[in-house]
Amino acid sequence: MTDEYRESIVGLSRVPGVSGALVVDPDAGVTVVEELRPEVAGPATAALAAALFQRTAQAARAAGLQRLDSLQLEAQGGQVLIMDAGGLIVVALIEDDGQMGRVRLEAHRAARALRALAEREG
Amino acid sequence: MKTPAPADLHRWSEELARNPASLAFLPLARAYRRLGRRDLALQLSLRGLEHHPTHVEAHALLALLYFEAGDRSRAADEWATVLRLKPGNFEALRGMGFRYLEQNDVGRARQHLERAALIRPDDTTVQEALRLIRHRETAGARARPDTAMLGTARPRPAAVEPAAPAPPPPAPPRSAYAPPPAASPSAGAVPKPAPAAAPAPAPAPASAPVAAPRREAPRYELPPDPARLFDSLMAAGPLLGILLLDRRGLVLAGGMRTAGAEVEELGAIIGAAIDEAIRTVTHLSLGDWKSLVLESEAAILQVAPVTEEALIIVAARTGTPMGWILRASAQAAITAERYVGAGV
């Protein structure tokens, strides 16, 4: 099963400029699977991304924006893309020269694959 | 300008030693520049850009270091890079404006300086340069070539620019964006951009050179109703609304047609997401946050800081192309900067 989860983010992790791709349990803030460059701290990234997504999703619901599908945080040194994938989230760390169009495309694919997995597992 | 603390220098150096790709190179280079160690600042900036070739602030710092070293050609290259990466960067617009002015390319000079003036209408160096350009244009042929108002009436190699004053001395460092000594038309010199790297203007210290009398900046007409500040942008596409908020989440201007959200509530609630975003970029050593894009079932929201005191929210219908939203947001930010700059 882990292989299938990992397979879902392989495409994302191979987009130029992506330094890490993770599937994270947003409730627990822990990694399910990850494809990271050695310098990227997986557990910290998972915990921070989960907290950011959860809190922002709560804010969006409270503001009447309904369900949060994705969140893209841009900073001077890079970007973080987080996408809802059913009960999980897909997280991508992107360098500041990353190809965001491809990153978003692959993240959508990963999220769809994870939702399909979740439906299959019931 | 604040003197860097030794503890900070030590921390940034260690971080850089541990991870050569760390963004700590930027505060460290700025600190060395402030300490007068421009050689080290230059080395750090160049090395940092090897790892982060599209880092706008690093290019801007490098431009400043080259400028201060008298290498205007390289400084201009770096400012041009900054403008490719961030077309609305004030320092780069001003720097390139002065560079074109030196080369007697008045059209491009005016184009860059007018854009810079829109962003900071009160910058005296920009206003002085624009005044020179206007003077030159009205003087017409009478001003050329022997009595050229712009100092360098014909393009000349940098090494033989007798009319251009030497670059500012390395010490003592001036306050951030303290206005440089003003050039007068009769002096025949091109005003120079102030040598500083901090992003925000700061008041000049008492010992700073006295600036020329402040010129009348282009007057920005405030909209009669702040809620209509972004109306021209709103008419253009699938936008649901644009809000300008202060740091407390209170609405300063703009409005929202409908995003399923109450305007005041949205402003207050988005602050919570920003707090978390800041925490995330800090822990991941990504530098300052630049924007946050939220895609929900009801709308797409793009949130970005306009100044240290204000941020802007652009809301669009779901399905709106992200690139379109980002462009609309950039235009809204320019309007918002003018509005905030007008002292509202």
Side-chain angles (χ1 to χ4, degrees):
Chain A
M1 188 185 82
T2 307
D3 285 348
E4 289 179 283
Y5 281 89
R6 187 174 302 283
E7 190 64 30
S8 71
I9 54 168
V10 165
L12 176 60
S13 68
R14 288 179 182 165
V15 176
V18 171
S19 57
L22 306 89
V23 177
V24 174
D25 179 338
D27 296 324
V30 295
T31 305
V32 177
V33 288
E34 63 186 26
E35 291 283 324
L36 301 174
R37 287 191 193 160
E39 70 270 19
V40 177
T45 303
L48 289 163
L52 174 61
F53 192 82
Q54 292 284 65
R55 187 155 185 199
T56 307
Q58 282 169 7
R61 276 195 300 273
L65 295 172
Q66 302 172 42
R67 193 191 72 237
L68 183 65
D69 290 325
S70 79
L71 179 160
Q72 186 176 326
L73 172 60
E74 185 185 4
Q76 285 172 340
Q79 303 200 39
V80 182
L81 176 66
I82 309 173
M83 238 171 231
D84 178 42
L88 300 170
I89 52 173
V90 176
V91 179
L93 296 177
I94 308 111
E95 293 169 342
D96 56 5
D97 56 350
Q99 299 176 17
M100 280 313 296
R102 281 189 63 191
V103 172
R104 292 179 63 82
L105 184 69
E106 291 295 341
H108 273 296
R109 282 183 182 156
R112 270 202 305 273
L114 288 166
R115 278 196 207 99
L117 266 177
E119 279 176 21
R120 214 172 63 204
E121 289 167 5
Chain B
M1 190 179 295
K2 198 176 148 191
T3 306
D8 284 337
L9 291 176
H10 187 68
R11 180 166 54 84
W12 292 325
S13 298
E14 279 202 334
E15 194 177 327
L16 212 50
R18 269 198 314 274
N19 175 17
S22 163
L23 285 168
F25 80 90
L26 192 59
L28 191 57
R30 282 180 178 150
Y32 278 131
R33 178 181 165 270
R34 286 201 292 271
L35 292 169
R37 296 297 310 272
R38 289 186 173 78
D39 51 337
L40 284 177
L42 189 69
Q43 274 181 27
L44 282 164
S45 301
L46 289 169
R47 263 189 237 151
L49 280 167
E50 285 174 13
H51 294 283
H52 306 280
T54 57
H55 199 297
V56 173
E57 291 194 22
H59 282 289
L61 177 60
L62 195 55
L64 196 63
L65 290 164
Y66 281 137
F67 177 81
E68 288 173 338
D71 191 342
R72 294 182 197 170
S73 173
R74 282 188 175 155
D77 286 347
E78 292 304 320
W79 278 321
T81 302
V82 170
L83 288 179
R84 277 197 297 277
L85 295 168
K86 191 176 178 187
N89 183 282
F90 172 79
E91 282 75 25
L93 285 169
R94 182 172 63 173
M96 288 305 289
F98 286 126
R99 178 64 178 166
Y100 285 128
L101 208 47
E102 280 183 339
Q103 295 175 329
N104 204 25
D105 187 343
V106 177
R108 284 188 186 177
R110 182 168 52 179
Q111 185 189 16
H112 283 75
L113 291 166
E114 283 180 345
R115 283 170 64 197
L118 280 178
I119 297 167
R120 289 196 198 160
D122 291 336
D123 186 278
T124 51
T125 59
V126 170
Q127 292 306 323
E128 181 71 13
L130 285 170
R131 195 178 66 79
L132 287 174
I133 289 173
R134 283 193 293 272
H135 193 288
R136 168 70 184 274
E137 286 171 342
T138 52
R142 281 177 298 132
R144 297 194 302 267
D146 296 329
T147 56
M149 302 304 297
L150 301 177
T152 49
R154 288 177 292 270
R156 283 179 285 193
V160 286
E161 287 183 297
R174 271 208 290 263
S175 175
Y177 292 122
S184 72
S186 58
V190 178
K192 301 295 168 199
S207 59
V210 178
R214 177 163 285 199
R215 301 285 167 192
E216 192 69 25
R219 190 163 293 281
Y220 172 60
E221 294 292 336
L222 288 174
D225 178 1
R228 303 180 66 89
L229 178 64
F230 302 106
D231 274 8
S232 59
L233 286 171
M234 292 288 295
L239 288 181
L240 296 170
I242 304 175
L243 291 176
L244 177 64
L245 308 175
D246 71 8
R247 63 196 298 178
R248 298 162 297 173
L250 297 175
V251 177
L252 294 172
M256 196 72 70
R257 282 177 196 151
T258 171
E262 294 296 328
V263 169
E264 294 287 352
E265 190 181 29
L266 184 64
I269 287 170
I270 216 74
I274 300 300
D275 289 345
E276 201 64 48
I278 291 170
R279 201 164 76 92
T280 301
V281 295
T282 304
H283 280 276
L284 294 177
S285 300
L286 292 177
D288 292 338
W289 78 288
K290 286 162 67 177
S291 87
L292 183 65
V293 179
L294 314 179
E295 282 183 279
S296 81
E297 281 180 304
I300 303 174
L301 261 61
Q302 203 255 2
V303 188
V306 175
T307 66
E308 286 183 6
E309 299 296 320
L311 59 83
I312 197 165
I313 300 178
V314 175
R317 295 189 187 96
T318 50
T320 305
M322 193 58 67
W324 192 93
I325 294 173
L326 294 177
R327 289 182 73 88
S329 178
Q331 289 177 350
I334 291 172
T335 303
E337 278 176 13
R338 291 169 64 191
Y339 185 76
V340 173
V344 180

